[in-house]
Amino acid sequence: MKRNYKLLLLVVLLAFASCSFTTKKFEDPDKDKLLIQLITYVLDQGHFNPQTINDDFSSEVFSDYLEQLDPFKRYFYASDIKEFEAYKLELDDQINAYDLSFFNLTHDRLLKRIEESKAMYKEVLTEPFDFSAVEEFSTDYEKLQYVDSKKDMKERWRTQLKFSTIANYDDLLSDQENAANKTSGIKTDSELEIEARGVTQRSLDELYDFIDDRQRKDWFSVYINAIVEEFDPHTFYFAPEDKDRFDVAMSGNFEGIGARLQKKMDATIVNEIISGGPAWRQNQLEVGDQIMKVRQEDEEKGINIVGMRLDDAIKFIKGPKGTNVTLTLKKVDGTVEDITITRDIVELEETYAKSSTVIKDDKKFGVINLPKFYVDFEDYNKRNAASDLKIEIERLKEEGVEGLVLDLRNNGGGSLQTVVDMGGLFIDEGPIVQVKTAGEPKEVLRDKDKSIVWDGPLVILVNELSASASEILAAAMQDYKRAIVIGSKQTYGKGTVQNVLDLNRMVRQNSNGDMGALKFTTQKFYRINGGSTQLEGVKSDVVVPDRYSYIDIGEKDQENPLEWDKIGAVDYKLWSSYYDYDTTIAKSKERMKNNEQLKLIDDNAQWVKKIRDREVYSLNYEDYKKALSINEEESKRFEKLSDYKSNLTFASLPYEMRLMDQDSVLKEKRDRWHTSLSKDVYIEEALNVLNDLKTTYDVKKVATSVKN
């Protein structure tokens, strides 16, 4: 409470103190100092795990900041870094004193080096590349050393640009070979090389146009985030425009393709497909895809967004409802393809729970898909995930289902209260999760309602992208032995919660303009057995491979995650039933061992990992093409993955059938969902488990009755 009181008091104090931060200079430097004051104070007083800003902290900020400014080490020289290193252990003192000397030095030097690089890349691209020469290129930029001379810098640019150009050359050559009319307009290899260099130059010209548009405040946000991200990977400063975009992304109420994107080094990566949106309906865009180019429907050529700011890239991807946008994608397996998506208003309805019935071995089971733990934060009594799930279960019970699959795959979480209420649907009463706020004792959140909505067999499906609230529910049901969890080796491992603070609220009578907002971690979740879901996630009872099995995609793969720890368990009583979970789990594991589809999925996941981990590429076209051909040939063995189909038929509930009579879009959505369920080997195994649980229930109940 003491820290929370101090945080509240800060609002009052700054209301009177803000008058001392009104002096305006060039690009408003005092606003920057005020921003550092606000952010460091809030993080010190409100973050779950405040960091000591010392020499070690300074060293980490120094390294991470320079890596973000120049990830490919093609701007700064070794002499620049040597000059910067005088500040390596001084940044803590500068942060505490609100001193901007290091930022000002690096910012000015970066702008100078960027300007020099413009002439350099253009000079390199005036000379043809020799694709017959034997040389290699490494994409492991972390191992690169900063160069000492302009000659070395030009050579670095040459190899990087040759790597880009050889890919363009291969695309042009392939397009020519695949052209319907091969007798007209055939270009020589030399002409194709010139054209490929032109493509590379246009991409860089576009990139530098956007770099030139960046203002000092944009670069300062990079510096601020290098500081705050040392606290944990979910703490982030939103500049005013970023905060607006964050609000739109959180609400999902926008016109666009319905995908959330993130920046990774120079790439724009898809990290979520919004259920029900245009990309979801189109069904070709996937999590992990890199968007390389964006083309509007009235344009002949797309704009290269590699290296572009994320917010600038999004401006090209978003657009009015009904317009088409073509995206050039680099898939997770390395293949490149174009897809066209018709923009629309993103449908929020598909973020809600939906259910289906299915017959297996003369038994009817229910499947519920829950994409998010949604809630109206202004009025909890309005529609939320827990109340919707209860309604869906009641509807399935009316249909006479004998078991239930709750699908939490790709569910990134949401409201904590809905998790508690949702857990209560499956147990009579008891603790669901423990929560610890910085500086305060733990709090145990309980289900106090003795009623049980579903007391039958329950299977929960998860994967590596099941996070936060999904992990809390799966963990609680696992601890109670109330459900069998099937899925990835472990879930995402995000056991923290963040608050977003509007920094303008902390400065009254502010004449410095919009201060933006800070998202920072304030709480940690713990299982009722005392363990944290942080890093470790939830370990499935039955582990099944998927395409993400070997990709670094979880919390443990991020920088500066909070550590796993343990607190005391709370008293809870295991679920009392006739179901034989141990026997059922053993039978499922045995089936998984012999499942050919899962073996192929695992092989594919390992192959994808191998492709993604490759760091050295030949710049000799003959060798380059040979490697591509080998990849294409290897990929053919995985084509039958999409041909898999079970003999199961899924059906909507009666109320939804009536709605579909009036709504063809809803019918299309549900038909597609049912088709995907019938091709889903994980759903099929979940139903096998439900069937086994039902069988063990009957056997154990008879055995217990005889014994009694």
Side-chain angles (χ1 to χ4, degrees):
M1 282 301 296
K2 183 179 179 182
R3 294 177 72 205
N4 282 357
Y5 172 73
K6 288 174 73 177
L7 193 57
L8 290 171
L9 184 62
L10 179 64
V11 179
V12 179
L13 291 175
L14 284 179
F16 298 99
S18 61
C19 61
S20 64
F21 299 101
T22 57
T23 304
K24 289 188 177 181
K25 295 181 180 180
F26 180 74
E27 290 291 340
D28 206 353
D30 283 344
K31 177 182 177 181
D32 296 338
K33 292 183 179 181
L34 176 58
L35 189 57
I36 292 179
Q37 284 181 306
L38 290 173
I39 286 175
T40 53
Y41 192 96
V42 170
L43 291 177
D44 180 62
Q45 297 300 313
H47 194 277
F48 181 86
N49 186 35
Q51 299 294 300
T52 301
I53 300 181
N54 54 19
D55 286 354
D56 290 338
F57 184 91
S58 176
S59 178
E60 292 297 324
V61 171
F62 178 86
S63 299
D64 291 344
Y65 173 56
L66 291 181
E67 183 180 344
Q68 290 182 52
L69 289 186
D70 188 12
F72 305 126
K73 296 176 181 171
R74 62 187 187 186
Y75 297 139
F76 292 132
Y77 290 86
S79 58
D80 295 324
I81 302 303
K82 185 176 181 180
E83 183 179 352
F84 298 159
E85 281 183 341
Y87 296 87
K88 188 171 185 177
L89 301 181
E90 301 296 325
L91 294 184
D92 53 325
D93 301 318
Q94 290 200 2
I95 292 168
N96 289 326
Y98 323 127
D99 184 344
L100 305 178
S101 299
F102 176 68
F103 169 74
N104 290 333
L105 172 65
T106 54
H107 176 248
D108 292 344
R109 187 65 52 81
L110 177 67
L111 296 186
K112 178 183 178 183
R113 296 307 186 208
I114 286 175
E115 197 62 32
E116 291 172 353
S117 70
K118 291 180 187 177
M120 191 166 288
Y121 83 75
K122 290 175 182 176
E123 181 183 349
V124 168
L125 289 172
T126 60
E127 298 293 326
F129 291 117
D130 181 3
F131 293 136
S132 66
V134 178
E135 59 180 330
E136 291 181 329
F137 176 75
S138 173
T139 58
D140 188 356
Y141 300 108
E142 289 185 9
K143 291 182 180 177
L144 284 179
Q145 300 296 314
Y146 290 98
V147 300
D148 293 311
S149 65
K150 287 191 175 182
K151 179 182 178 183
D152 292 339
M153 183 66 82
K154 184 177 179 181
E155 175 61 16
R156 175 153 297 170
W157 272 100
R158 187 194 70 81
T159 55
Q160 291 187 8
L161 295 180
K162 186 175 182 181
F163 179 61
S164 298
T165 304
I166 199 171
N168 296 332
Y169 176 78
D170 180 67
D171 289 341
L172 292 169
L173 191 59
S174 297
D175 289 345
Q176 180 166 281
E177 290 173 350
N178 295 329
N181 185 2
K182 296 184 179 181
T183 58
S184 64
I186 298 295
K187 297 177 182 177
T188 65
D189 289 348
S190 177
E191 289 172 327
L192 289 173
E193 188 276 335
I194 292 172
E195 189 174 343
R197 268 187 291 129
V199 173
T200 301
Q201 173 145 352
R202 286 192 294 275
S203 296
L204 278 167
D205 290 345
E206 290 171 3
L207 169 61
Y208 275 79
D209 283 343
F210 285 99
I211 290 176
D212 289 344
D213 285 341
R214 299 194 79 167
Q215 299 175 330
R216 183 183 186 279
K217 64 180 181 180
D218 298 315
W219 295 111
F220 189 64
S221 292
V222 175
Y223 179 58
I224 288 292
N225 276 313
I227 295 171
V228 304
E229 288 174 358
E230 292 302 323
F231 284 73
D232 79 293
H234 305 289
T235 294
F236 190 83
Y237 168 67
F238 292 107
E241 288 184 0
D242 295 328
K243 176 58 166 57
D244 292 340
R245 283 184 286 272
F246 175 77
D247 291 339
V248 169
M250 290 298 289
S251 69
N253 186 15
F254 60 90
E255 293 180 330
I257 66 170
R260 293 194 173 97
L261 312 173
Q262 68 179 126
K263 198 75 172 177
K264 284 191 176 180
M265 297 292 283
D266 223 25
T268 298
I269 305 294
V270 177
N271 70 345
E272 182 182 357
I273 305 295
I274 298 173
S275 184
W280 180 89
R281 294 197 298 268
Q282 196 253 12
N283 199 28
Q284 292 183 37
L285 193 66
E286 297 179 294
V287 170
D289 286 349
Q290 177 189 347
I291 302 177
M292 301 171 68
K293 294 181 181 179
V294 183
R295 179 168 60 83
Q296 311 304 323
E297 60 184 7
D298 58 348
E299 295 176 343
E300 291 185 6
K301 296 182 179 180
I303 293 175
N304 190 310
I305 65 169
V306 176
M308 191 182 291
R309 290 170 55 190
L310 182 61
D311 53 341
D312 292 323
I314 289 173
K315 289 176 184 176
F316 288 108
I317 297 168
K318 291 172 66 176
K321 173 184 176 181
T323 58
N324 292 326
V325 61
T326 299
L327 308 177
T328 300
L329 306 175
K330 185 176 184 180
K331 309 293 285 185
V332 293
D333 61 4
T335 59
V336 176
E337 65 179 67
D338 286 353
I339 66 169
T340 299
I341 302 174
T342 301
R343 300 180 179 105
D344 201 348
I345 296 174
V346 178
E347 298 282 349
L348 293 180
E349 182 64 32
E350 279 304 322
T351 66
Y352 300 145
K354 60 178 180 282
S355 61
S356 173
T357 60
V358 58
I359 304 292
K360 180 172 178 58
D361 296 340
D362 298 323
K363 297 185 185 74
K364 182 181 284 188
F365 297 112
V367 176
I368 298 179
N369 176 269
L370 186 71
K372 292 181 182 295
F373 288 78
Y374 48 88
V375 67
D376 185 331
F377 285 105
E378 295 184 1
D379 186 355
Y380 187 78
N381 293 320
K382 288 184 179 179
R383 188 174 192 182
N384 64 64
S387 60
D388 277 5
L389 188 67
K390 181 179 179 180
I391 291 170
E392 293 301 324
I393 293 173
E394 296 287 8
R395 287 167 171 163
L396 289 167
K397 285 166 66 176
E398 290 176 7
E399 295 302 304
V401 300
E402 299 182 52
L404 186 64
V405 177
L406 179 57
D407 190 353
L408 298 180
R409 290 174 296 176
N410 304 317
N411 185 323
S415 164
L416 175 61
Q417 185 58 49
T418 60
V419 180
V420 178
D421 292 346
M422 201 176 290
L425 302 176
F426 306 109
I427 63 171
D428 48 6
E429 61 177 339
I432 300 296
V433 65
Q434 303 184 79
V435 181
K436 197 171 187 309
T437 304
E440 297 184 12
K442 74 176 184 182
E443 181 182 4
V444 180
L445 304 183
R446 302 174 178 272
D447 166 49
K448 299 177 181 178
D449 185 349
K450 291 188 176 183
S451 64
I452 303 175
V453 177
W454 179 255
D455 62 358
L458 177 64
V459 169
I460 295 178
L461 283 178
V462 297
N463 65 4
E464 292 89 347
L465 298 175
S466 302
S468 196
S470 293
E471 296 173 292
I472 292 170
L473 181 62
M477 295 301 99
Q478 195 176 56
D479 288 345
Y480 275 108
K481 277 204 134 180
R482 177 63 188 90
I484 291 178
V485 178
I486 299 177
S488 51
K489 185 177 180 181
Q490 71 161 74
T491 52
Y492 188 87
K494 181 181 179 292
T496 59
V497 63
Q498 288 72 41
N499 285 341
V500 179
L501 176 65
D502 183 351
L503 295 174
N504 297 293
R505 291 185 175 186
M506 304 187 65
V507 187
R508 295 178 187 172
Q509 300 176 349
N510 173 33
S511 60
N512 287 289
D514 196 335
M515 302 298 296
L518 181 67
K519 176 166 68 80
F520 60 107
T521 299
T522 56
Q523 292 178 314
K524 212 170 182 182
F525 300 123
Y526 296 86
R527 300 174 69 137
I528 55 178
N529 68 9
S532 172
T533 58
Q534 179 67 9
L535 300 182
E536 292 195 358
V538 177
K539 293 181 170 53
S540 298
D541 297 309
V542 179
V543 176
V544 290
D546 62 31
R547 69 182 310 181
Y548 302 115
S549 293
Y550 302 96
I551 295 176
D552 297 337
I553 206 170
E555 179 86 356
K556 65 182 182 299
D557 303 307
Q558 308 304 309
E559 288 192 8
N560 308 312
L562 297 189
E563 65 181 10
W564 181 91
D565 63 346
K566 193 170 184 176
I567 61 175
V570 293
D571 292 332
Y572 62 97
K573 193 165 82 172
L574 294 180
W575 175 252
S576 177
S577 74
Y578 293 107
Y579 300 117
D580 188 339
Y581 284 94
D582 293 337
T583 299
T584 301
I585 290 171
K587 289 178 69 174
S588 180
K589 287 180 177 178
E590 190 62 30
R591 270 194 305 269
M592 295 299 92
K593 245 196 289 185
N594 300 312
N595 188 300
E596 292 302 320
Q597 178 75 355
L598 288 175
K599 288 179 183 177
L600 189 59
I601 289 173
D602 190 61
D603 289 345
N604 179 246
Q606 292 185 55
W607 180 74
V608 167
K609 168 71 171 173
K610 183 184 76 172
I611 296 297
R612 289 173 67 94
D613 286 350
R614 183 181 174 192
E615 293 175 343
V616 178
Y617 297 82
S618 175
L619 296 181
N620 172 279
Y621 184 69
E622 185 178 333
D623 293 338
Y624 179 89
K625 187 63 177 178
K626 189 181 298 181
L628 282 182
S629 299
I630 291 172
N631 286 343
E632 290 171 2
E633 192 61 33
E634 287 178 345
S635 69
K636 289 179 181 178
R637 63 183 286 240
F638 303 118
E639 290 177 354
K640 58 183 178 182
L641 280 174
S642 58
D643 297 333
Y644 181 82
K645 196 176 190 309
S646 69
N647 294 319
L648 302 171
T649 301
F650 296 81
S652 290
L653 302 184
Y655 88 95
E656 207 167 58
M657 300 286 281
R658 291 190 292 272
L659 290 175
M660 288 190 290
D661 289 339
Q662 311 292 326
D663 188 345
S664 61
V665 174
L666 178 62
K667 186 177 188 308
E668 178 191 344
K669 290 178 182 178
R670 292 301 180 261
D671 286 347
R672 204 182 109 194
W673 181 46
H674 295 156
T675 298
S676 69
L677 289 176
S678 69
K679 298 166 70 70
D680 192 330
V681 67
Y682 310 103
I683 287 286
E684 184 179 22
E685 179 55 24
L687 296 172
N688 287 331
V689 168
L690 286 180
N691 203 24
D692 289 344
L693 280 175
K694 193 66 182 167
T695 302
T696 63
Y697 175 89
D698 295 335
V699 171
K700 286 190 72 175
K701 186 172 184 181
V702 170
T704 304
S705 299
V706 170
K707 182 179 178 182
N708 291 338

